[in-house]
Amino acid sequence: MSQGNFGVAGLGVMGQNVALNIERNGFQVIAYNRSDENANVMRAKAEGKNFIVTQSIEEFVKKLEPPRRVLLMVTAGKGTDAVIDALTHYLQPGDIIIDGGNSHFPDTNRRAEALHAKGYHFVGCGISGGDEGALWGPSIMPGGNYEAYERIAPVLEKIAAKTKDDGACVTYCGRTSAGHYVKMVHNGIEYGIMQVICEVYDVLRNSLGLSAKEIGEIFQKWTKSQEVGGFLVDITAVCLAKKDDQAKKGHLVDQILDTAGQKGTGKWTAQSALDLGVPIPTLSMSVEARILSGLKPLRVEAAKILDGPEVKIDKKKKDDVVDALYNALHLSMIACYAQGMALIQEASKTYDYGTNYAEVARIWKEGCIIRSKLLDPIKEAFKDQPDLSNLMVHPSFSKIVNDSLPDLRKVVRLAAKTGVPATCLGATLAYIDSYRSEFLPANLLQALRDNFGAHTYKRLDREGVFHSDWNGEGPVTESSGH
Ligand code: 6PG
């Protein structure tokens, strides 16, 4: 029994799977793709289902019941603008366009403004979970026009991943571009956790000399953990266990080129954090780590010129090191979520999103790439203190931070001693050490700035703004400052 129809434009694998998910949940799907290839694959998959697949945008719009609901599953960027442009030749005021791609949030603001001016509703909507999630239940992060959200919510709630006892993994993330902002930060956290996992793997591989199989077994144990357990640890165990069926020698991971690409969401997260003045060093360093991975030819040359230590860790210490790595991973994951949530909080204030932070953590509990056991206590922490200054200082996390910090220190020390680049583990340690420091060396920084540029400084013992004659005998002057 159909409950009204729903349009899906863009039938790559994600689009196809979301469309199948929507149909499975009782809605007729009108699916559009201009090219033959994707349209034909969709036709084959839609055989016998409540689907109309069309390659004509005019037919696509005409088949939809007004007020129309159109979900765009198009690669972010110019393609999104092109499809929106084509759609608006046929849509009517009051129709809803939902952008389900990984669009950059300023683009979402621009599109929302232009479409609202013409009377259309626009919902920027993050969707996470990869191909499988799209088909069986993604985490969905919509934002924008609330009236439009209410009209699509019944569909989104049906197709979203479900938590055991905490509802569907969809919530209204806030006004204007909030949905895409939250999804962008989700990806920033995804980058951070993945890089931390890779560094833990690297210490096990290079500092301890373990094989992919042995490391896979360690991660396999961790998949059961209430602390680090989650999708990314699960798939790490899977990736490390996979045998190489092409070359028939050893494990596949050992044959994969050590260069990782990126599509932009991690970089945007770092850029936005700089704009908003929110420190997210673990997440930012994970982008740097990917860039460094891309310098393969330069690294190969440099490896012949620049020396590292020849030290390895005694394998007898394996159990101790594995325990320390576990705690370092746990703490670094907490730091990734803490940095991401802090960024969303600041963005919500600056851009007037009105985001509910506990809800964001709740909808990440299932369906998305960063789902993990940690998200339930994170949700509880933000429920308990909606204006929490940082996850690490909440009573349910501060003890973990205090207990695990010595192990993170130990791991960073071991990595440094053995020459393993602990880009994100090191950044996490420095982040926590900075955040817990009552005094940072910025007193000297103020002095330096005042010395070369008369930028003035503030004092601990007196109110006011001061400038000194640093090289001469001149007096300290008090100024109104700037
Ligand atoms: C998700 C993923 C998805 C995509 C990333 C990958 O939540 O389902 O995050 O959106 O896999 O964009 O990004 P990179 O190619 O930049 O690693």
Side-chain angles (χ1 to χ4, degrees), residues 33-344:
N33 202 98
R34 196 177 53 183
S35 79
D36 292 342
E37 199 186 332
N38 286 347
N40 288 337
V41 176
M42 186 78 260
R43 281 188 189 101
K45 290 187 181 174
E47 185 88 38
K49 296 188 164 70
N50 193 6
F51 255 90
I52 294 173
V53 182
T54 174
Q55 291 174 256
S56 148
I57 204 140
E58 185 176 0
E59 189 192 1
F60 173 66
V61 174
K62 282 196 174 141
K63 294 272 185 227
L64 287 166
E65 295 155 12
R68 298 171 183 83
R69 298 173 291 190
V70 177
L71 173 62
L72 306 186
M73 294 300 293
V74 181
T75 309
K78 289 200 170 70
T80 307
D81 285 315
V83 179
I84 291 176
D85 192 44
L87 278 168
T88 51
H89 285 101
Y90 305 103
L91 290 177
Q92 287 167 348
D95 290 346
I96 303 167
I97 300 175
I98 307 141
D99 175 11
N102 273 335
S103 292
H104 196 195
F105 73 96
D107 288 339
T108 303
N109 286 329
R110 168 177 60 77
R111 290 172 187 141
E113 212 170 291
L115 289 167
H116 290 161
K118 293 179 184 160
Y120 305 114
H121 295 299
F122 187 63
V123 175
C125 183
I127 300 182
S128 174
D131 308 350
E132 283 294 297
L135 182 59
W136 298 111
S139 170
I140 308 180
M141 295 153 247
N145 182 282
Y146 189 72
E147 192 192 324
Y149 167 73
E150 279 190 311
R151 297 220 314 256
I152 58 171
V155 184
L156 301 186
E157 274 160 24
K158 284 209 168 142
I159 66 167
K162 307 290 179 302
T163 61
K164 273 200 198 82
D165 48 13
D166 225 358
C169 292
V170 56
T171 194
Y172 177 68
C173 289
R175 291 178 277 274
T176 60
S177 54
H180 278 141
Y181 197 92
V182 167
K183 176 58 174 38
M184 178 190 78
V185 177
H186 164 285
N187 283 25
I189 296 171
E190 174 186 301
Y191 274 52
I193 296 178
M194 284 200 288
Q195 180 60 27
V196 167
I197 287 174
C198 291
E199 291 171 15
V200 167
Y201 155 75
D202 210 9
V203 171
L204 290 166
R205 174 178 66 168
N206 282 328
S207 312
L208 259 179
L210 301 189
S211 68
K213 180 171 178 288
E214 290 170 304
I215 304 170
E217 285 161 5
I218 292 166
F219 273 94
Q220 183 54 42
K221 270 193 206 135
W222 293 353
T223 62
K224 312 278 183 304
S225 154
Q226 280 304 313
E227 293 164 330
V228 302
F231 178 70
L232 288 170
V233 168
D234 285 352
I235 61 168
T236 303
V238 170
C239 289
L240 290 168
K242 179 83 176 162
K243 294 266 177 57
D244 183 9
D245 52 7
Q246 297 248 328
K248 302 255 183 274
K249 50 176 182 182
H251 283 243
L252 180 55
V253 72
D254 292 330
Q255 302 304 325
I256 298 180
L257 178 70
D258 56 325
T259 290
Q262 50 176 316
K263 293 195 204 75
T265 45
K267 181 182 79 179
W268 298 338
T269 306
Q271 287 171 330
S272 176
L274 286 176
D275 286 342
L276 294 176
V278 179
I280 58 159
T282 312
L283 311 192
S284 299
M285 282 309 285
S286 68
V287 183
E288 301 273 359
R290 284 203 197 187
I291 297 170
L292 279 158
S293 85
L295 306 182
K296 179 76 175 177
L298 301 182
R299 289 189 287 115
V300 170
E301 280 312 303
K304 295 176 197 151
I305 302 165
L306 305 175
D307 299 330
E310 292 300 321
V311 193
K312 293 270 179 231
I313 307 169
D314 184 350
K315 271 201 179 171
K316 282 191 220 113
K317 294 191 178 144
K318 179 185 154 191
D319 290 349
D320 273 3
V321 175
V322 170
D323 286 349
L325 283 167
Y326 174 88
N327 286 332
L329 172 61
H330 184 202
L331 181 50
S332 300
M333 283 174 69
I334 292 170
C336 285
Y337 290 118
Q339 292 171 23
M341 292 306 288
L343 181 56
I344 290 174

Side-chain angles (χ1 to χ4, degrees), residues 351-383:
Y351 303 131
D352 191 30
Y353 286 152
T355 306
N356 179 325
Y357 315 122
E359 275 291 280
V360 169
R362 184 188 66 75
I363 65 167
W364 287 347
K365 279 173 61 173
E366 294 293 343
C368 65
I369 305 297
I370 62 168
R371 63 187 184 262
S372 79
K373 299 280 191 322
L374 280 168
L375 282 156
D376 191 60
I378 294 173
K379 177 206 74 180
E380 291 300 330
F382 279 99
K383 245 182 167 174

